[in-house]
Amino acid sequence: MLDLLKTRPRLLAAIIVAVVFGTVAVVSLVNRSDDETAASSAPTSSPATTLSSQVSVSPPSSTANTAPLDPAGYQKLLTDIGASITPAVQRLGQATTATALRDAGTALNDAINQAVRQLDAAMPPDAVRAANRDLLTSLDAVGASALPEVIAPTFDNKLCGGLSATSVLSRNQAVAGLRDSLAKLATADPAHPYRLGPLFPDPQPEPNRGLANETVITGAGGGKNTISVKNISGTDQAVTLADGRRSVFTVYVKAGATASASGIADGTYTAYSTGGFDWDAATGRFTRDCSFSKFGVPASMKDNGYTYTNLELTVRKIDPAALPSGLFPEQSAVEPADYPR
């Protein structure tokens, strides 16, 4: 992370602008542990329109070696660069939380910084000097304008899963420019079709996966008790009954719908709900606009042989500042790490 601050001030500036005018004012990235993000806020006088408008891309001044690389040496350099960037892109796509996305984005930025330095220090074969410079410029632009589009939204859970993050990155104009640079490099010398990449995935539409209303995700068949959930939050929700930190029963409720489900075992549970867009069934989380909350009243479920418990909940849009009130109080926001699994 320290390298991020030293080598890419434009990435930091773009993140500052993007986050200050989002829902969370985060102005600077600093060294932190996996569970902590240090931030400071500062006023600004004029809002930004786009991330790309906040940066001007100019690659580093060339510090080339005196002796040019031969074709085999230049291809090895490209192969090494690909071996550094590709795993970082894959790590981004596999992230399941906003924190993991932020860490993966930082690692990808570091890999791109290193690639820019390597390309700038090298003297490629004469036939591909122009293509090499074009590649260097394109990689620098990806780090300066594309990565902030992935990193900045993680601070307020606008991006919180890998597929949505890679979708954003795949449609970025700087990444499109990098694809063009890679294509030029491959044809610059007919005798040596140099390869690097593709590094980033082809353009992907914004994912919007989901489940049918009333789908029981976990816990069916444990008992006769039931749950009825009205969802007025504006996004799909997965409502969970938990015993401590352990998820016992989870039902999926579409935005604006009411869902009923049965098969809940006797017990006293805490009700939680997570909402958002694009449900990733493999991870049990949404990947965009994620919210995490819990209800303040314990849910006691009891089947005595003649009657059973039906728990009724209304899931509302979360106000982190709202105070619990009423029989089933408004949810209070919880950290993703505190959500039962």
Side-chain angles (χ1 to χ4, degrees):
M1 180 65 78
L2 183 59
D3 187 54
L4 171 65
L5 292 175
K6 290 181 178 178
T7 61
R8 191 166 299 287
R10 286 166 297 169
L11 171 62
L12 178 58
I15 293 175
I16 291 171
V17 171
V19 177
V20 164
F21 293 95
T23 58
V24 178
V26 177
V27 174
S28 62
L29 296 177
V30 299
N31 286 324
R32 59 171 179 77
S33 67
D34 289 341
D35 298 324
E36 296 178 327
T37 300
S40 62
S41 61
T44 184
S45 59
S46 58
T49 54
T50 63
L51 288 172
S52 60
S53 67
Q54 302 308 306
V55 297
S56 61
V57 175
S58 57
S61 300
S62 178
T63 55
N65 297 323
T66 56
L69 294 169
D70 61 16
Y74 185 62
Q75 180 58 65
K76 182 179 184 305
L77 171 62
L78 297 177
T79 300
D80 291 345
I81 288 173
S84 175
I85 293 178
T86 299
V89 175
Q90 293 172 343
R91 177 182 170 188
L92 190 78
Q94 294 165 356
T96 60
T97 67
T99 299
L101 270 183
R102 190 156 55 249
D103 291 344
T106 301
L108 178 55
N109 179 77
D110 292 342
I112 289 176
N113 281 340
Q114 178 65 19
V116 169
R117 288 192 293 267
Q118 290 175 305
L119 289 170
D120 190 51
M123 181 177 288
D126 290 343
V128 293
R129 283 193 181 183
N132 180 80
R133 195 65 185 173
D134 187 60
L135 173 62
L136 187 158
T137 301
S138 295
L139 277 171
D140 194 60
V142 169
S145 68
L147 290 185
E149 290 191 359
V150 172
I151 296 175
T154 64
F155 286 98
D156 57 1
N157 282 321
K158 294 297 182 183
L159 277 180
C160 38
L163 188 60
S164 282
T166 55
S167 171
V168 168
L169 200 57
S170 74
R171 290 179 278 116
N172 179 270
Q173 290 186 349
V175 173
L178 176 60
R179 293 190 192 98
D180 291 340
S181 296
L182 293 176
K184 292 176 184 177
L185 179 66
T187 59
D189 183 357
H192 300 283
Y194 296 104
R195 302 296 181 187
L196 171 61
L199 300 183
F200 295 95
D202 291 335
Q204 302 171 352
E206 186 175 66
N208 197 25
R209 297 164 293 175
L211 300 176
N213 192 50
E214 298 186 331
T215 298
V216 175
I217 299 171
T218 58
K224 296 180 179 179
N225 301 299
T226 63
I227 186 172
S228 297
V229 182
K230 183 179 181 181
N231 180 7
I232 58 174
S233 68
T235 64
D236 288 7
Q237 297 280 331
V239 178
T240 291
L241 299 180
D243 182 2
R245 298 293 299 276
R246 182 178 65 91
S247 174
V248 175
F249 189 93
T250 302
V251 60
Y252 195 90
V253 192
K254 299 289 286 186
T258 297
S260 297
S262 61
I264 305 171
D266 289 357
T268 299
Y269 309 111
T270 302
Y272 291 83
S273 190
T274 180
F277 296 99
D278 184 45
W279 175 258
D280 184 348
T283 63
R285 291 180 181 265
F286 294 95
T287 69
R288 286 194 316 281
D289 292 321
C290 301
S291 62
F292 302 87
S293 63
K294 73 175 181 178
F295 290 82
V297 172
S300 297
M301 315 291 282
K302 179 66 175 177
D303 170 22
N304 60 16
Y306 299 97
T307 61
Y308 57 85
T309 302
N310 177 54
L311 177 66
E312 295 183 352
L313 296 174
T314 298
V315 182
R316 298 173 174 84
K317 185 176 181 179
I318 297 173
D319 178 1
L323 296 175
S325 62
L327 180 61
F328 294 107
E330 294 282 355
Q331 309 100 281
S332 58
V334 296
E335 293 297 323
D338 295 330
Y339 200 83
R341 303 297 294 169

